[in-house]
Amino acid sequence: KAGVTQTPRYLIKTRGQQVTLSCSPISGHRSVSWYQQTPGQGLQFLFEYFSETQRNKGNFPGRFSGRQFSNSRSEMNVSTLELGDSALYLCASTTGDEKLFFGSGTQLSVL
Amino acid sequence: AQSVTQPDIHITVSEGASLELRCNYSYGATPYLFWYVQSPGQGLQLLLKYFSGDTLVQGIKGFEAEFKRSQSSFNLRKPSVHWSDAAEYFCASYGSGNTGKLIFGQGTTLQVKP
């Protein structure tokens, strides 16, 4: 069974641009959640989607948004990028048995 | 607010020695507790989890953890560390009804001396 797949693996953007990250969950998993990891703030929850609906949301500004498609694939979008958005963005999926399986992440660098 | 604390930012142990990584949580009811491991530039791999029942849980790679309600702790242990265990370890939790919304500790970096 394939794991959680995140694309792209690396991204370099400049301030003010926007970016879209993609996550394909493990087959059969309907819940997808997103996390931001930085050296200073550690791992922080962004949001969670289940059956195309946002079910939980972390404490991030509105520039961070996401969506989930009918096949459970998810995207997150960050608009008007800031230097502080440079981070490893991790996606995780679950069947609802409380165990999250993480992808390898997308490393975003904002210059 | 719910929180997870890992008091040790960095730990160094000799190969073959025992290991204990500390984790304390703050949550009124019994939380769901997890330990994850992360190698540099990679995602997180689940080592073990505790939801209820037996307070000593076994995980992968020879790790175990013990839930102690009286101390609000969920410490990770391994009797004999291997060089390949060098990585960053995260304790995490969430309360019932918050599926997917894990609260992570700051992480403990484990260095293994030959």
Side-chain angles (χ1 to χ4, degrees), chain A residues 29-93:
Chain A
H29 287 196
R30 297 170 64 188
S31 167
V32 173
S33 50
W34 288 88
Y35 292 80
Q36 182 197 64
Q37 184 176 24
T38 60
Q41 298 299 315
L43 282 151
Q44 294 184 284
F45 171 78
L46 280 156
F47 28 65
E48 184 223 358
Y49 287 86
F50 181 84
S51 293
E52 303 178 63
T53 300
Q54 188 180 87
R55 191 162 63 173
N56 273 305
K57 188 178 186 305
N59 190 26
F60 278 81
R63 299 185 297 107
F64 292 82
S65 63
R67 60 177 175 168
Q68 186 180 34
F69 302 95
S70 57
N71 61 357
S72 293
R73 190 178 71 85
S74 177
E75 289 181 347
M76 68 162 281
N77 184 276
V78 188
S79 63
T80 320
L81 284 166
E82 301 177 0
L83 295 178
D85 297 333
S86 295
L88 180 67
Y89 289 88
L90 293 165
C91 168
S93 72

Side-chain angles (χ1 to χ4, degrees), chain B residues 49-69:
Chain B
K49 61 176 175 58
Y50 173 78
F51 294 162
S52 64
D54 193 349
T55 57
L56 185 62
V57 293
Q58 302 297 320
I60 63 172
K61 304 184 178 186
F63 286 93
E64 66 177 27
E66 186 171 13
F67 171 67
K68 293 185 177 180
R69 183 189 303 276

Side-chain angles (χ1 to χ4, degrees), chain A residues 5 10 15 22 46 66 74 76:
Chain A
T5 304
Y10 301 95
R15 280 179 297 173
S22 179
L46 280 156
S74 177
M76 68 162 281

